[in-house]
């Protein structure tokens, strides 16, 4: 949607802001995006691990418990870091 900005956070990190979206729906969107990226025939994909491009994503939702956007970023970054461990190519919900 046009109201959902995509921004580069640095290096290979990006953020997609899904406004007015429940965390379960955001998780589904991230899973769909992961599948699309994994299956896409990117040029030079053979140079990637397992011959394909993958993502590790964290999903978080802003609520009263979070309080500030800085705390939201910390939570989603921790979830993304957790997704990178092991085999990667995962989406994890922040708790």
């Amino acid at each position: 949607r046009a109201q959902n900005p995509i921004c580069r956070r640095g290096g290979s990190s990006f953020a997609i802001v899904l406004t007015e979206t429940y965390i379960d729906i955001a998780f589904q969107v991230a899973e769909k995006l992961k599948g699309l990226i994994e299956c896409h025939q990117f040029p030079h994909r053979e140079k990637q691990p397992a011959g394909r491009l993958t993502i590790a994503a964290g999903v978080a939702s802003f609520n009263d418990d979070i309080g500030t956007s800085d705390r939201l970023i910390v939570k989603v970054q921790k979830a993304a870091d957790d997704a990178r461990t092991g085999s990667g190519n995962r989406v994890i919900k922040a708790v």
Side-chain angles (χ1 to χ4, degrees):
R1 301 177 302 187
Q3 71 267 28
N4 299 133
I6 300 172
C7 29
R8 189 175 196 146
R9 294 205 58 233
S12 60
S13 294
F14 294 83
I16 302 172
V17 179
L18 302 176
T19 58
E20 299 179 20
T21 304
Y22 291 107
I23 193 166
D24 291 337
I25 300 300
F27 183 82
Q28 290 173 6
V29 169
E31 282 285 346
K32 182 176 181 180
L33 182 60
K34 178 182 71 104
L36 291 170
I37 289 170
E38 185 177 14
C39 294
H40 187 77
Q41 300 295 310
F42 288 99
H44 310 292
R45 66 191 167 279
E46 67 280 355
K47 295 179 183 175
Q48 299 298 319
R52 66 186 197 275
L53 189 65
T54 62
I55 68 169
V59 177
S61 178
F62 191 84
N63 57 41
D64 291 338
D65 293 337
I66 297 290
T68 67
S69 57
D70 288 339
R71 289 183 63 194
L72 176 66
I73 290 168
V74 168
K75 282 189 87 148
V76 77
Q77 186 63 54
K78 166 91 170 68
D81 291 345
D82 291 346
R84 280 187 200 93
T85 61
S87 63
N89 202 36
R90 297 187 303 166
V91 177
I92 293 183
K93 272 189 223 179
V95 288

